[in-house]
Structures are given as C-alpha cells and as structure tokens.
Amino acid sequence: MIIIMQPGVSDDDIARVIERLEERGYGHHISRGVERTVIGAVGAPEGEKQQVAEQLSRLPMVERVVPILKPYKLVSREYQPEPVTVKVGPAQFGGKQVSVIAGPCAVESEEQLMEAAQAVKAAGATALRGGAYKPRTSPYSFQGLGEAGLELLAQARDLTALPIVSEVMDPRQVEVMAGWVDALQIGTRNMQNYDLLREVGQVGMPVVLKRGFAATIQEWLRAAEYIAASGNLDIILCERGIRTFETETRFTLDLGGMAAAKQETYLPIIVDPSHSMGIHRLVGPMALAAVAAGADGLMIEVHPHPDQALSDGPQSLTPTSFEKLMQQVRTVALAVGREI
Ligand code: PEP
Ligand code: MN
C-alpha cells in the first residue's frame, strides 16, 4: 500500500507511521516530494492489509492510503497476467474465441425449448440458455418450471449437443442444478448474494456471474472473488446493463465498464445485450459493438415465438433475426482478430 501523508508533515509524524508499519511486519520506503511525503509499505502478512490500511487512514497525519494489491486478488491480473479460457462442456470462453450463449429467457414447454435449441445451434450458438427458476420482479409473473424445466434442458442438450447454462437463485438449489446443467448462472439480482456465491464456488462447475445492475466494476470483481476464494476459478463474467438516469432502454449497457474490467481481470467477459436493451431491435447493434470492443462472447435471448413468450418477449430475437445477427457477429469477430 501507499501512504500519502498530509502536507507539511513533521519527521516525528513520519516516524510514528513507520513505527506502526514495523509493528505490523511491513517494510517501508519513504519518498519526500516538494509537496507531499509518501510512504510505500510492503511485505505484510496476507489477510491483514485491509485492516492495516483502514487503521492507518484514520491517523491525523495521513491523508489517504492507497492499496497496491487488489482486493480481488485471485481474479486480478496481478495474480494471473494473461487471459484464460473457461470451458463449458465443449464450448470455450476467452482467449481468441468468441462464444455465444443463446436461447429463451425461460423454459416454457418441450416444444418451445426444442425449437429454440435447434435454431440457435443451427445459427452457430455454442451453448443453450434457458431459465428454470426465474427471478421475476413481480411474484405474480411466471416463475419458471423448476425441476421440470431442468429436465427439458437436459433433453435439449441430448438433442443438440449444446451445453446448458441456467440460473440458480438459491444456495439450496445448487446441488440439484449441478446435476442437470453445464454452467450455473448467477443473475444480476443475486450478484451480492454471498452465501450463493460461496456455494457455487464449491460445486466445481463453471459459473456465469452477471454484473449487478447497481454494482460497480470493483463490486463485481469482488463478487467473483468470493467464488474464486471458495475454490472455483471457472468464472465467466457477464455485463448485462446497469441502472442509470436513462429510461429509453431497459438498462444502460456499460461497454466501457466491460472494457475496463477486462484490464483488471484475466477472466473471460461476455455481454448480454438482450437484458440491457430490453428491445429486440436494439439487441443487434449492441451485440456487434460488444464484440468489436473485445467481449469474449454474448448471451442472447431467442424465442421461436416472441409474441407468445411468458417472459422477456419484447427483447427476444426470432430464430431468423438471430441467424442474421450471427452472420454479422462473425464478420465483426473476424475483423477484430477473434475466432468464432
Ligand atoms: C436472465 O438471464 O434470464 C436474467 C434474468 O438476467 P439478469 O439477471 O441479467 O436480469
Ligand atoms: Mn430474460
């Protein structure tokens, strides 16, 4: 950490800070500028840095303390400088690969899911999505088919050989779901459900961690750190839009945040233009922008009949428009040196 002292600090004050550092096992380096004295502290025992930084920042002669080591150590590029790939069944996320997870918002029926699964497979998707447990804003909205939905997802995997991604909402569902799907999705509303994060960290299965719609990049990465610290580094981050003052789209897709997060972490990051835009006509432009900006993949909602969808019909693409979009995604991906 770096300790920035107040202007005009005395030698005694500096000595007191150094004494505190030595007591806690830190080495130090003092740099005296014209306006400020700065103390660099290194080599403290792991696990105590946050506490020491907080304590030092309360000293009157200290202006502020800047940590060097990221709080999300295991998922940061300090820990692993090069991007990694995460496999979901045969699908690969990260590295040069751009992968697309597509399918309906919710599993509604056998007919709906099989039709969607075959359509997204034919268009080039590498994984199938579909919610069996739906986090709906209203308790009166369709809540998903539950385990019957998971069975249908497994059936769709048998039919198409696409791996399955589905949302888990409760720590008690994790074990059962892990028996049916290939990757567990944590939705935006649960990004900071720490018990759930710990639970999926222990299950030994890839996790798609969506960004909370009111979460900063730092909070998102710390949520990922919970999963990593519980023993699971197979994490795919998913930017899905954040809440801003803008109401024209359902959420505001933060592609700048996605690009910034990619500098901080080596984990693959995909983008969900469906939930962020909320309007099917706007899904395509943002999907292309995301891939151009370096996203490692996309998550897109596709429904065979969006006008009959039980959830998120307005943002769902038809199989035909998804197929057209995939051709454009391919062109953009290749243009920016990716494989698809
Ligand atoms: C979903 O993917 O179906 C979903 C509910 O997404 P989010 O958590 O981003 O709203
Ligand atoms: Mn949805």
Side-chain angles (χ1 to χ4, degrees), residues 105 129 134-135 167 185 187-189 210 240 275 301:
C105 179
R129 61 150 290 143
K134 294 304 302 176
E167 177 166 355
Q185 176 175 320
T188 192
R189 293 158 188 84
K210 287 198 159 191
R240 51 79 66 207
H275 289 91
E301 285 189 341

Side-chain angles (χ1 to χ4, degrees), residues 43 52 96 138 140 178 208 253 261 309:
V52 174
K96 286 200 96 180
S138 164
Y140 307 118
V208 176
L253 183 62

Side-chain angles (χ1 to χ4, degrees), residues 17 19 24 27 42 47 113 125 171 181 204 242 251 269 271 292 295 331:
V17 171
E19 204 176 299
R24 303 300 291 264
V42 288
L113 186 64
V181 306
I242 52 173
F251 291 90
I269 307 185
V271 168
T331 306

Side-chain angles (χ1 to χ4, degrees), residues 34-287:
V34 185
E35 299 198 356
R36 285 280 198 285
T37 296
V38 168
I39 304 173
V42 288
E46 271 314 318
E48 281 186 32
K49 289 181 177 144
Q50 181 80 16
Q51 187 195 57
V52 174
E54 281 171 10
Q55 290 174 350
L56 290 173
S57 69
R58 292 304 302 268
L59 295 173
M61 65 288 242
V62 171
E63 187 191 83
R64 71 198 143 96
V65 178
V66 183
I68 302 177
L69 268 184
K70 310 279 187 194
Y72 39 87
K73 188 173 178 308
L74 292 174
V75 304
S76 84
R77 285 197 187 244
E78 283 180 354
Y79 177 76
Q80 160 66 53
E82 292 307 316
V84 302
T85 59
V86 173
K87 292 202 90 180
V88 177
Q92 184 179 305
F93 291 81
K96 286 200 96 180
Q97 189 72 30
V98 170
S99 284
V100 179
I101 305 169
C105 179
V107 180
E108 297 170 4
S109 68
E110 180 178 344
E111 198 188 0
Q112 171 247 18
L113 186 64
M114 301 312 142
E115 204 176 328
Q118 284 174 305
V120 301
K121 162 95 179 183
T126 43
L128 176 68
R129 61 150 290 143
Y133 301 95
K134 294 304 302 176
R136 302 307 300 280
T137 303
S138 164
Y140 307 118
S141 301
F142 175 59
Q143 304 284 309
L145 296 180
E147 216 169 333
L150 297 175
E151 281 185 51
L152 289 173
L153 286 165
Q155 193 180 319
R157 176 179 46 211
D158 290 345
L159 183 70
T160 59
L162 289 176
I164 305 297
V165 181
S166 195
E167 177 166 355
V168 60
M169 297 209 304
D170 188 306
R172 291 166 297 186
Q173 292 165 348
V174 170
E175 220 180 295
V176 174
M177 281 198 67
W180 292 102
V181 306
D182 299 282
L184 294 165
Q185 176 175 320
I186 305 279
T188 192
R189 293 158 188 84
N190 270 316
M191 189 206 82
Q192 287 178 310
N193 182 339
Y194 298 119
D195 285 343
L196 183 59
L197 298 176
R198 279 196 203 92
E199 199 68 31
V200 298
Q202 287 166 20
V203 79
M205 167 167 286
V207 177
V208 176
L209 178 64
K210 287 198 159 191
R211 178 179 177 187
F213 60 73
T216 63
I217 298 296
Q218 297 289 318
E219 287 161 342
W220 190 19
L221 294 172
R222 288 188 207 196
E225 186 77 10
Y226 265 88
I227 302 172
S230 306
N232 187 355
L233 284 170
D234 281 337
I235 305 164
I236 299 164
L237 298 168
C238 179
E239 161 61 35
R240 51 79 66 207
I242 52 173
R243 184 143 288 168
T244 66
F245 56 82
E246 183 55 73
T247 54
E248 198 71 10
T249 55
R250 189 175 175 189
F251 291 90
T252 298
L253 183 62
D254 187 12
L255 286 185
M258 183 278 292
K262 278 192 68 88
Q263 306 271 307
E264 294 294 310
T265 183
Y266 57 88
L267 294 171
I269 307 185
I270 65 172
V271 168
D272 172 351
S274 303
H275 289 91
S276 44
M277 307 316 283
I279 305 164
H280 67 98
R281 286 193 186 85
L282 300 179
V283 169
M286 288 301 100

